[in-house]
Amino acid sequence: MGVESNQLCLTCHAEMRPGMFRDDAHSEHPLSPIVNAEQKAAVKDMNTRLGPNDQLICLSCHKLHHGKGDRFLLARELKDGQMCMQCHSEKNTMLGSSHDLRQKFPNERTGSA
Ligand code: HEC
Ligand code: HEC
Ligand code: HEC
């Protein structure tokens, strides 16, 4: 299978974690949205790839070889939100605010991990 879509990864992972990848608002991250200019630059910077028509795909964030995160085969460290903020810089007013859950719950994580 080619690496231009989510299909390669979903062939196994949709079976392994049913519900994690759904094409609706309740998935853990939107599947295949079109990236904006900032997000496109972040993908270039991480040296990952986009799908057709600049869609965000699994391999935009995940790097199966030589990943940066110590877990999850990620293309950038998760620490301090750097993975997310490179594509969502408009959310940077959250950092340090009372909505920044790291203040009250520094050791908690969302989800199963
Ligand atoms: C042939 C089946 C298969 C395919 C295809 C596949 N994976 Fe996996 N993947 C696995 C298995 C099995 C594990 C280990 C699951 C476990 O330990 O619970 C895994 C684990 C992972 C993990 C977790 C690693 C960790 O540190 O916990 C990530 C992230 C991941 N795969 C991403 C991907 C991505 C991105 C793709 C597409 C490029 C992909 N996988 C394609 C079978 C597959
Ligand atoms: C926007 C970036 C991004 C995209 C796109 C993305 N992931 Fe991930 N993925 C992450 C991050 C960040 C984590 C670590 C989550 C955590 O800390 O719990 C992760 C974790 C995972 C894991 C491990 C989860 C676990 O708890 O075992 C798997 C498997 C995985 N991703 C597969 C995929 C597949 C398959 C796709 C495409 C359908 C995909 N990811 C798309 C960022 C992304
Ligand atoms: C490579 C770029 C990229 C990365 C990295 C990334 N995202 Fe996204 N994210 C997108 C795109 C594209 C969308 C869909 C369009 C949009 O809302 O900007 C999106 C949408 C979202 C949404 C839905 C927003 C809404 O209004 O419905 C959330 C929540 C989100 N991302 C959280 C995260 C988190 C948390 C991380 C870090 C684990 C992350 N993103 C990492 C590109 C990215």
Side-chain angles (χ1 to χ4, degrees), residues 30-90:
L31 271 189
S32 315
I34 307 294
V35 297
N36 63 24
E38 169 182 68
Q39 295 160 345
K40 192 170 182 170
V43 167
K44 188 157 185 253
D45 195 49
M46 290 188 285
N47 203 8
T48 54
R49 60 174 72 233
L50 292 168
N53 309 317
D54 287 349
Q55 283 174 359
L56 187 80
I57 57 172
C58 315
L59 288 170
S60 303
C61 296
H62 290 282
K63 216 175 211 175
L64 271 61
H65 305 281
H66 313 296
K68 287 269 170 46
D70 42 351
R71 284 197 64 197
F72 303 125
L73 317 170
L74 290 170
R76 178 143 296 161
E77 301 275 1
L78 276 171
K79 197 168 169 290
D80 291 332
Q82 55 178 296
M83 175 77 192
C84 316
M85 295 311 289
Q86 59 179 340
C87 283
H88 296 292
S89 66
E90 82 286 357

Side-chain angles (χ1 to χ4, degrees), residues 3 5-13 16 58-59 62-64 70-74:
V3 289
S5 81
N6 296 327
Q7 208 46 55
L8 169 67
C9 315
L10 289 180
T11 299
C12 292
H13 285 285
M16 289 159 58
C58 315
L59 288 170
H62 290 282
K63 216 175 211 175
L64 271 61
D70 42 351
R71 284 197 64 197
F72 303 125
L73 317 170
L74 290 170

